Amino acid sequence: MVAGPSRVRLAPSLLSADFADLASAVRAAEEGGADAFHLDVMDGHFVPNITFGPALVAAVRRRTRLPLDVHLMVEHPRPFLAAFRAAGADTLVIHLECADPIPETLAAIRATGAQSGLAIRPESPISASFGLLPQVDELMVMGVRPGFGGQSFLPEALPKLAASRAEIDHRALPIELALDGGVTPEVARSAAEHGATFLVCGKSVYGTPDVAGNVRALRDATAGILHAVR
Ligand code: DX5
Ligand code: ZN
């Protein structure tokens, strides 16, 4: 059932914020009109970088009521799902390329009560995710190689968004289509035109001091682009 048109949602990525002052980072992005927060969990195996675990997610949870989108760049995410959910994650995103069985892990996410997310690395074909879509609440196309904030956008993500949008619409699935990595205002507009409904933005939000203004600039860049939401 079509619920009506909806604007593109923005999720600042705290990876690019000052970890010693996340409370201010959250407040400033909320002031600019952020719709959610994105938290990048890296294990040093799936990606060549290490960030944080459930304790930091819980600390952010205490500072905002907005949804928390937790991106698990983790080789074996399954043993940690319950802890991230208990910490306050609303969506738990695993990678198609991780070493745990994907259908079972997506089912385990939903069993915690969280929304299930599936992220796809740039080198993986998007069609590899299509058979899993009934188990997915958020499909996340990567615009950079996962591991670090502040990288340049890889334009091959755009046809992946378009192909995902066509598949989601054709099958009338209630899936949020996300883009993560390299999102500038210009990329944001293009991604929205290619069907994205959820944009993760790190450097373009936290790379300069006017965080609220940066969120507004991203919002303006996608103004007027509406998607039907089921
Ligand atoms: C990359 C992360 C992204 C990152 C995006 O490994 O998954 O979420 O924070 O940051 P920007 O927007 O700077 O590319
Ligand atoms: Zn991410």
Side-chain angles (χ1 to χ4, degrees):
M1 191 181 72
V2 175
S6 162
R7 64 176 175 77
V8 173
R9 302 200 301 137
L10 297 176
S13 169
L14 293 170
L15 184 62
S16 295
D18 178 359
F19 281 11
D21 195 5
L22 287 175
S24 301
V26 165
R27 208 177 311 120
E30 285 189 341
E31 196 189 307
D35 299 289
F37 285 98
H38 181 83
L39 293 106
D40 287 304
V41 177
M42 304 187 190
D43 68 348
H45 292 278
F46 186 76
V47 287
N49 195 4
I50 298 176
T51 55
F52 49 76
L56 189 130
V57 175
V60 172
R61 178 77 288 163
R62 290 192 286 273
R63 299 292 180 162
T64 183
R65 294 184 172 187
L66 290 179
L68 300 184
D69 184 66
V70 176
H71 181 189
L72 300 171
M73 285 161 277
V74 172
E75 191 76 18
H76 287 287
R78 188 160 175 179
F80 301 99
L81 300 176
F84 280 108
R85 175 63 177 159
D90 295 282
T91 305
L92 290 166
V93 184
I94 59 162
H95 264 269
L96 178 67
E97 305 85 0
C98 80
D100 285 343
I102 304 300
E104 288 82 346
T105 308
L106 290 170
I109 291 173
R110 282 184 170 173
T112 70
Q115 303 245 297
S116 63
L118 185 65
I120 319 291
R121 296 182 75 115
E123 61 272 23
S124 300
I126 191 69
S127 57
S129 69
F130 289 170
L132 295 157
L133 291 183
Q135 283 190 272
V136 173
D137 299 305
E138 178 178 306
L139 181 64
M140 180 169 285
V141 172
M142 294 303 300
V144 299
R145 270 182 275 291
F148 299 91
Q151 303 179 73
S152 297
F153 180 67
L154 301 169
E156 49 271 37
L158 294 174
K160 283 184 165 181
L161 288 172
S164 304
R165 168 56 50 209
E167 185 74 12
I168 289 166
D169 286 353
H170 177 68
R171 293 163 65 184
L173 294 165
I175 294 179
E176 184 95 87
L177 180 57
L179 174 66
D180 181 14
V183 179
T184 60
E186 194 186 358
V187 169
R189 174 143 203 105
S190 188
E193 287 168 350
H194 283 78
T197 54
F198 189 91
L199 301 174
V200 175
C201 310
K203 189 182 173 191
S204 58
V205 169
Y206 290 111
T208 58
D210 183 9
V211 169
N214 290 341
V215 176
R216 283 192 280 269
L218 287 155
R219 162 82 55 242
D220 290 348
T222 60
I225 303 176
L226 299 175
H227 289 289
V229 175
R230 289 180 186 81

